[in-house]
Amino acid sequence: MAKKIKSMGGRSFKKSAPKKSGNMNKLLQQAQQAQQSMEKEMEEMEAGLVNKEIEATSGGGVVKVIVTGDLRVKDIQISDELEDEGMDIIKDMIIAATNEALEKAKNYKDEESEKISEKYLGGFEGMGLGL
């Protein structure tokens, strides 16, 4: 005895066949697996940044700064050609090379993160999820 109610658009409350929730569950499982894989790959990339060396120079190569991918200064090399230069000039060259090396390291990290994100999230663009 299914009673129709006017405010519900004349629909009855009969039990209907279950909708295709299997596709949604499968999609959610795939999304969770992709998220876990992406997180693992991001962690591995982050750990690998310690060993990635990026260098920059200033003063035509007389000052070289080497930083790691995790934004730590590893080495500063100053050519003997600068022994007669003033300390202010040397400091300026060190600062310039350090800032450039850190910027390169940051860009490297951002590019690697973007590659990983695109690998896992690129397939969701056409699904209307706003990613």
Side-chain angles (χ1 to χ4, degrees), residues 99-111:
N99 287 334
E100 183 181 342
L102 290 172
E103 185 66 26
K104 285 181 178 182
K106 181 185 173 302
N107 289 340
Y108 173 80
K109 179 181 177 182
D110 291 346
E111 289 169 5

Side-chain angles (χ1 to χ4, degrees), residues 44-61:
E44 290 170 356
M45 184 269 301
E46 292 274 342
L49 291 175
V50 173
N51 298 319
K52 176 69 178 170
E53 290 185 1
I54 297 133
E55 64 181 56
T57 62
S58 67

Side-chain angles (χ1 to χ4, degrees), residues 72-86:
R72 302 278 185 195
V73 176
K74 183 174 183 177
D75 192 18
I76 297 175
Q77 299 171 1
I78 302 171
S79 172
D80 292 337
E81 297 174 34
L82 289 178
E83 69 181 43
D84 293 334
E85 292 294 330

Side-chain angles (χ1 to χ4, degrees), residues 17-28:
K19 296 190 179 191
K20 296 183 180 181
S21 64
N23 289 340
M24 182 58 82
N25 288 337
K26 185 177 178 182
L27 179 64
L28 288 173

Side-chain angles (χ1 to χ4, degrees), residues 55-70:
E55 64 181 56
T57 62
S58 67
V62 293
V63 173
K64 182 194 308 188
V65 174
I66 301 170
V67 299
T68 58
D70 63 343

